[in-house]
Amino acid sequence: MIKLSVPACAMFALSASAQFNNPLAIPPALDLDTFHLVVDEHVHQFYPGINTNTYGASAEYLGPTLIMHTGDTARIRVHNDLSQITTMHWHGLRVPGEFDGGPQRVIDPGDVWDVKYQVKNPAGTYWYHPHPHMLTAFQASMGIAGFIIVQDDEEAALDLPRTYGMDDFPVVVQDRKFDANGDFVIGPFGDSVLVNGTPRPYLECPAQVVRLRLLNGSNARVYPLGFENDQPFSVIASDGGLLNAPVTMDRIPLSNGERAEILLDLTGMEGDSLLLMSYGSELPPTVPGSSYVLWESSPLSGIDFPVLRIRITAPTADPVTTIPATLGTAQPYDEAFATGSRTKTLTGNGMVGMGMFMINGAMYDINVINDTIQLGSMEVWTFQNNSNMAHPMHIHGGSFFILDRDGIAPPAWERGAKDVVLVDVDEAVRVIMRFDELSGEEWPYMYHCHNLMHEDNMMMAQYIVVDPHMAVTGRMDDGSITVYPNPTEGMVHYRSAFPVRTVEITDNVGRSVLRDKVSERSTGTVDISGLRAGVYTLTLRNGGNIFHTKVIRE
Ligand code: C2O
Ligand code: CU
Ligand code: CU
């Protein structure tokens, strides 16, 4: 993890902060049956009078915030009006490989991709961006990216700020480099910081508890974010939804693709202002954005610089004034239920903007499936970084939990559901993940370094999730496994081809609602009379043996 050292002088930050007078752009939030994203070329003025060629998703730069609801079906029509191929990936969402928008799911120029999937993630901050083979950094740098906010009943029941643009704000941080004509120079580092596409922005926040949804949308730079004067804030959510309790911090390090939701208590501060900073001087030399001299130089590397000025205005009519003591109920997966493990060793000596970095000795090959995983497995993956640089490692197909870093449990803010984890040099990070969505050979899931330069330089691999045993009738063709009666009013009996060790029932959005260890017998009974009527998945496991079936509770 990032080890914070003594901060250097912040003079640069203080002098530069005076000019933060561009109102922060807030992308429109859409809550629609069908979202329509038109990916196209545009010209945008980040600075008055200077035209910059950009790409955007139904916008000159970036795209709208898509509001989705857990359990609902999201429908999106992606229209490619670029003169090159693209794809669209829903980063962090647990969707089957077919709808994941990886490099195989090409949308040709002029074509449309109609995609729909059930939203299975809990409330949280996710995002979308293109994922075309070797073009991800380019297209994302040009401006194609946007937020996805998932809402659910659990989050809605909490007294949290959630009025978009009033007390709940998306904040995507991107560094960009401009050439003399005002166009982007695509590379690992920029020397200007854009927030939601706004340079030197300010945001008016009411004097109450406000919520910032922070996203590192940069190619390679890592931001240790915090407020001047070390004003504390509460981290309430990580990549994949609410933490179980808020964590008070004065820094939140965000690597590429990572999100954090924070609450900032501005009560009684009307008329004041506060500066959100990136404390780059505190980065260890192994992390892109530090002052490490052998890497690409950037005026922003190794220094503390301002990101966003917050101007505090009068409170709203119905302000949130307290921070809830408890939040979500997500339980990290229990390692005792793991059905397998894999080690992913990262090697190579390279620069921030280039390869050659490898995962288990290989570079990305779009024609090779690197891992095959059984549907319903729960695996422990170890990222062992033997290279010369920290890498933000990302796995498609859902969220994982961090078990430990070098054998030590992660800090509280890293204990929620995650999909990106920064793995430092010489560090071993173990994560545990469940693979509950199918992803066949045609549409594999990716796992990769989310430094977009590394990703495009082949620091990526792909896996599929297969189900040899899926039985919709609860009966294997050979009669070896049966589940009866089905539908049921309460009791479900099973007879299995293997001695069963664990029995699990999950609901239609994948939440575990019942879990039992049983003494390796091939017959048994599960009592689901306590569950409400609906369709569930029954999973029987023993090590690598897994069997699923749909069970209907009447
Ligand atoms: Cu943010 Cu493979 O993606
Ligand atoms: Cu992703
Ligand atoms: Cu990397």
Side-chain angles (χ1 to χ4, degrees):
M1 69 167 294
I2 294 180
K3 292 129 196 148
L4 301 175
S5 60
V6 185
C9 166
M11 286 306 291
F12 172 86
L14 295 177
S15 60
S17 67
Q19 315 141 15
F20 274 55
N21 37 31
N22 300 314
L24 179 73
I26 303 290
L30 307 178
D31 190 341
L32 299 171
D33 284 337
T34 303
F35 300 105
H36 199 174
L37 297 175
V38 182
V39 176
D40 203 356
E41 298 168 14
H42 294 273
V43 172
H44 181 72
Q45 294 198 345
F46 294 94
Y47 299 95
I50 300 175
N51 285 336
T52 303
N53 286 297
T54 56
Y55 290 177
S58 304
E60 288 180 4
Y61 183 79
L62 299 176
T65 297
L66 312 182
I67 309 283
M68 298 183 181
H69 306 271
T70 307
D72 281 7
T73 299
R75 292 182 183 78
I76 308 125
R77 162 165 282 212
V78 186
H79 192 123
N80 181 9
D81 266 351
L82 301 173
S83 54
Q84 57 184 242
I85 62 152
T86 192
T87 83
M88 197 60 81
H89 169 58
W90 323 102
H91 178 126
L93 292 191
R94 198 189 117 191
V95 302
E98 195 183 343
F99 310 123
D100 194 46
Q104 279 84 355
R105 183 49 101 171
V106 169
I107 315 171
D108 282 320
D111 269 7
V112 164
W113 182 38
D114 281 307
V115 55
K116 69 171 186 187
Y117 46 77
Q118 197 188 11
V119 179
K120 295 184 175 176
N121 297 67
T125 304
Y126 307 88
W127 63 304
Y128 59 91
H129 63 77
H131 218 301
H133 190 37
M134 298 175 74
L135 287 170
T136 299
F138 175 69
Q139 292 187 3
S141 296
M142 289 297 284
I144 309 172
F147 282 90
I148 296 171
I149 295 178
V150 174
Q151 301 178 333
D152 69 9
D153 294 346
E154 181 182 67
E155 191 268 352
L158 294 165
D159 187 22
L160 289 172
R162 65 172 66 79
T163 310
Y164 186 82
M166 291 287 292
D167 61 6
D168 180 352
F169 305 97
V171 175
V172 53
V173 185
Q174 298 172 304
D175 58 337
R176 288 290 182 267
K177 191 169 179 168
F178 294 87
D179 70 14
N181 300 320
D183 277 323
F184 288 137
V185 181
I186 313 294
F189 293 132
D191 41 26
S192 311
V193 181
L194 303 179
V195 182
N196 300 352
T198 310
R200 300 202 192 93
Y202 75 87
L203 172 65
E204 291 190 340
C205 287
Q208 62 204 51
V209 175
V210 299
R211 179 183 198 165
L212 303 182
R213 298 171 186 266
L214 305 171
L215 160 64
N216 180 345
S218 301
N219 290 354
R221 186 182 299 283
V222 175
Y223 302 94
L225 296 173
F227 293 92
E228 64 180 340
N229 308 328
D230 296 335
Q231 165 98 10
F233 52 86
S234 301
V235 181
I236 59 164
S238 51
D239 299 335
L242 291 169
L243 302 175
N244 293 351
V247 183
T248 305
M249 297 178 70
D250 57 22
R251 292 288 186 279
I252 179 90
L254 277 193
S255 70
N256 317 91
E258 277 188 299
R259 288 87 69 207
E261 294 179 25
I262 64 169
L263 296 184
L264 190 58
D265 188 354
L266 304 173
T267 309
M269 292 174 69
E270 184 177 345
D272 281 357
S273 95
L274 205 59
L275 205 51
L276 177 67
M277 301 279 299
S278 177
Y279 290 94
S281 69
E282 300 172 8
L283 286 173
T286 48
V287 177
S290 70
S291 58
Y292 189 59
V293 288
L294 294 183
W295 291 343
E296 296 89 337
S297 66
S298 158
L300 291 180
S301 289
I303 63 160
D304 302 337
F305 54 85
V307 172
L308 171 67
R309 175 163 290 286
I310 290 173
R311 293 186 190 161
I312 306 161
T313 58
T316 60
D318 191 15
V320 174
T321 52
T322 54
I323 293 175
T326 59
L327 299 164
T329 53
Q331 286 306 314
Y333 305 135
D334 182 349
E335 202 183 335
F337 288 85
T339 50
S341 64
R342 292 164 206 257
T343 298
K344 303 294 166 196
T345 304
L346 317 177
T347 53
N349 273 291
M351 304 282 281
V352 180
M354 288 185 282
M356 319 254 294
F357 291 104
M358 285 178 279
I359 303 175
N360 283 355
M363 300 184 83
Y364 181 61
D365 181 341
I366 196 166
N367 297 310
V368 170
I369 302 296
N370 303 86
D371 301 81
T372 300
I373 296 173
Q374 275 204 50
L375 186 72
S377 346
M378 187 190 290
E379 295 196 348
V380 177
W381 285 24
T382 303
F383 290 111
Q384 168 69 48
N385 185 355
N386 294 347
S387 78
N388 69 328
M389 190 182 307
H391 301 278
M393 298 307 295
H394 171 51
I395 309 178
H396 288 214
S399 305
F400 53 73
F401 290 90
I402 303 175
L403 286 172
D404 43 41
R405 292 176 169 278
D406 285 338
I408 295 165
W413 63 272
E414 273 195 328
R415 289 189 195 163
K418 296 279 296 162
D419 52 63
V420 179
V421 61
L422 186 65
V423 185
D424 207 348
V425 171
D426 290 332
E427 193 179 31
V429 178
R430 294 195 319 140
V431 304
I432 186 165
M433 182 158 170
R434 275 179 58 143
F435 299 90
D436 287 325
E437 298 297 330
L438 287 169
S439 185
E441 288 195 30
E442 219 185 334
W443 314 114
Y445 287 127
M446 305 295 124
Y447 58 93
H448 57 89
C449 175
H450 217 289
N451 170 334
L452 297 182
M453 313 305 289
H454 290 178
E455 173 184 338
D456 279 352
N457 278 293
M458 314 299 166
M459 192 178 182
M460 180 154 81
Q462 47 195 10
Y463 74 96
I464 58 176
V465 180
V466 297
D467 185 4
H469 298 305
M470 188 65 178
V472 256
T473 58
R475 189 180 298 269
M476 294 297 283
D477 284 346
D478 62 1
S480 59
I481 299 187
T482 51
V483 172
Y484 57 94
N486 194 12
T488 176
E489 285 175 345
M491 296 299 170
V492 183
H493 309 283
Y494 59 82
R495 181 154 46 77
S496 159
F498 56 86
V500 175
R501 252 189 91 59
T502 63
V503 177
E504 187 175 21
I505 304 266
T506 46
D507 68 10
N508 68 331
V509 293
R511 283 178 298 227
S512 180
V513 289
L514 195 154
R515 196 186 273 171
D516 247 331
K517 276 206 167 182
V518 291
S519 52
E520 318 209 20
R521 263 189 270 131
S522 56
T523 57
T525 301
V526 197
D527 181 359
I528 63 167
S529 56
L531 301 178
R532 75 172 87 132
V535 181
Y536 296 87
T537 301
L538 167 73
T539 304
L540 308 175
R541 287 196 190 90
N542 189 349
N545 287 313
I546 299 168
F547 173 77
H548 306 274
T549 186
K550 297 274 180 235
V551 176
I552 298 166
R553 163 83 172 93
E554 282 185 318

